Amino acid sequence: MATQPSQTPSLRFGQVVIGPPGSGKTIYCRGMQEFLSHLGRKVVVVNMDPANEGLPYPCAVDISELVTLDDVMEGLKLGPNGGLLYCMEYLEANLDWLETKLEEHSDCYFLFDCPGQVELYTHQNSVKNIFAQLAKWNFRLTAVHLVDSHYCADPAKFISVLCTSLSTMLHVELPHVNVLSKMDLIEQYGKLAFNLDFYTDVMDLTYLLDHLAADPFFRKFLKLNEKLAGVIQDYGLVSFVPLNVQDRESMTQVLRTVDKANGYCFGNLEERNLQAMMSAAVGADFQFTAYPLLTAAILIYVFVIKPVYSTCSTYETKPF
């Protein structure tokens, strides 16, 4: 008697939110959860960080039910970095637990709030293997890599961020969007040497090298910085989307970039809610149905023309 083939799980979309400590991953997850809920998406947040305490969002799946950083550090006498590596390896060894938890939310959009340790995304394989297993479970994910925008104010730090972003893109092997977070605070770190487009589009880095050469400390590392800049520009993969999590238009720009990367398609409900949000932006008395030509012009500008001039960083995939 022939055995019945196992049923393929339904297609599920989501984001894995990664980035250095303090880049705003948890705040982003909370803001994106609220934003998507207003659009009509049923959102589930998965806490993948065993060191996360006092989560500001309702969490449907929490890794702390399986393992916590404090327990690992105390039981194995490890520091915080070694403890996080062990926690991710432990999760990789217990993927059946994660699968069971995720199956309870099969019809949702997922936000994975990941740990902030850089090594997990540049050369350690546990998180990469977990993402690969999620893909086998029919998840279509985009890696949203958050970087604090204040690094733009320091040329040396910005080149370091570019190297980290490129290494992460190549190692994680997911559709990828780099995000400059906390754009509402960037002016607190001083005036930028160039326009914001220079940093988001990652234009000719020789201008940054000129700034570094003017500093006596970095002048002796000029050849090293030239080689690093050359690697970044030879790949031509890194660019950024600016984000102010409190700004509706900024969140829309990031979301559309993410949806483009993983192939997510808008449903009718989302289109109606986006129109309602646009109505609120142009005036409460404005009716889209009463002015179809103006409606079309506004939507074309917001969702077609404007993204062309905005910045994005993805391994683009064809829509499903």
Side-chain angles (χ1 to χ4, degrees):
M1 182 176 178
T3 59
Q4 292 291 333
S6 58
Q7 185 177 1
T8 303
S10 60
L11 195 63
R12 292 173 283 184
F13 291 88
Q15 307 174 26
V16 291
V17 184
I18 61 179
S23 57
K25 297 183 295 297
T26 297
I27 298 300
Y28 171 87
C29 288
R30 183 183 68 177
M32 185 58 71
Q33 180 191 42
E34 294 174 355
F35 186 74
L36 291 172
S37 296
H38 288 310
L39 293 181
R41 291 193 201 183
K42 188 177 178 182
V43 187
V44 163
V45 183
V46 179
N47 176 40
M48 299 274 283
D49 187 354
N52 249 349
E53 297 179 355
L55 295 171
Y57 50 72
C59 183
V61 181
D62 192 347
I63 190 178
S64 64
E65 298 176 9
L66 178 69
V67 62
T68 66
L69 179 60
D70 289 341
D71 290 343
V72 169
M73 291 174 60
E74 181 179 353
L76 300 179
K77 308 304 179 184
L78 294 173
N81 290 344
L84 269 176
L85 292 175
Y86 179 88
C87 289
M88 292 299 101
E89 292 173 351
Y90 189 80
L91 176 60
E92 182 187 5
N94 292 274
L95 285 173
D96 53 339
W97 174 87
L98 182 61
E99 182 179 19
T100 301
K101 291 290 185 179
L102 295 177
E103 284 176 349
E104 300 173 4
H105 311 280
S106 58
D107 59 341
C108 300
Y109 186 93
F110 290 81
L111 297 173
F112 293 86
D113 187 1
C114 298
Q117 191 170 353
V118 175
E119 303 95 291
L120 293 172
Y121 314 108
T122 56
H123 57 272
Q124 207 266 353
N125 288 325
S126 292
V127 173
K128 174 184 175 180
N129 294 338
I130 293 170
F131 293 164
Q133 186 60 52
L134 289 171
K136 293 179 182 179
W137 294 337
N138 229 12
F139 279 86
R140 296 296 180 265
L141 302 172
T142 296
V144 179
H145 183 231
L146 298 182
V147 174
D148 199 317
S149 60
H150 84 267
Y151 291 119
C152 296
D154 187 324
K157 290 181 180 179
F158 186 66
I159 289 180
S160 176
V161 162
L162 292 174
C163 292
T164 302
S165 299
L166 177 59
S167 178
T168 301
M169 294 174 75
L170 297 176
H171 184 73
V172 171
E173 297 181 350
L174 284 176
H176 201 98
V177 176
N178 291 307
V179 175
L180 284 177
S181 63
K182 306 179 185 178
M183 288 301 300
D184 52 320
L185 304 177
I186 192 170
E187 294 181 356
Q188 297 181 8
Y189 304 103
K191 186 178 180 180
L192 298 179
F194 306 99
N195 292 334
L196 181 61
D197 289 347
F198 176 87
Y199 300 95
T200 55
D201 294 340
V202 188
M203 297 180 180
D204 191 349
L205 295 180
T206 56
Y207 294 104
L208 275 184
L209 296 176
D210 292 339
H211 272 259
L212 288 173
D215 188 315
F217 177 79
F218 290 107
R219 191 177 302 150
K220 57 185 176 181
F221 300 112
L222 181 59
K223 289 186 178 180
L224 174 62
N225 288 324
E226 286 177 347
K227 294 297 183 182
L228 292 175
V231 170
I232 294 164
Q233 293 193 311
D234 287 345
Y235 274 96
L237 295 174
V238 183
S239 59
F240 296 92
V241 181
L243 172 66
N244 174 5
V245 76
Q246 299 177 352
D247 181 73
R248 181 182 301 167
E249 184 176 346
S250 179
M251 291 289 283
T252 301
Q253 180 183 356
V254 171
L255 178 60
R256 288 190 62 81
T257 306
V258 170
D259 287 344
K260 181 182 178 183
N262 63 18
Y264 184 91
C265 295
F266 284 114
N268 292 331
L269 177 60
E270 283 195 17
E271 290 181 359
R272 291 196 298 271
N273 289 338
L274 277 170
Q275 290 183 3
M277 293 173 70
M278 286 296 298
S279 296
V282 299
D285 297 330
F286 182 82
Q287 297 293 326
F288 277 83
T289 55
Y291 303 95
L293 292 179
L294 182 56
T295 297
I298 292 174
L299 293 177
I300 289 173
Y301 171 75
V302 172
F303 299 118
V304 179
I305 297 175
K306 193 173 179 59
V308 171
Y309 294 97
S310 62
T311 57
C312 67
S313 169
T314 62
Y315 298 132
E316 293 183 10
T317 58
K318 295 181 180 179
F320 296 96

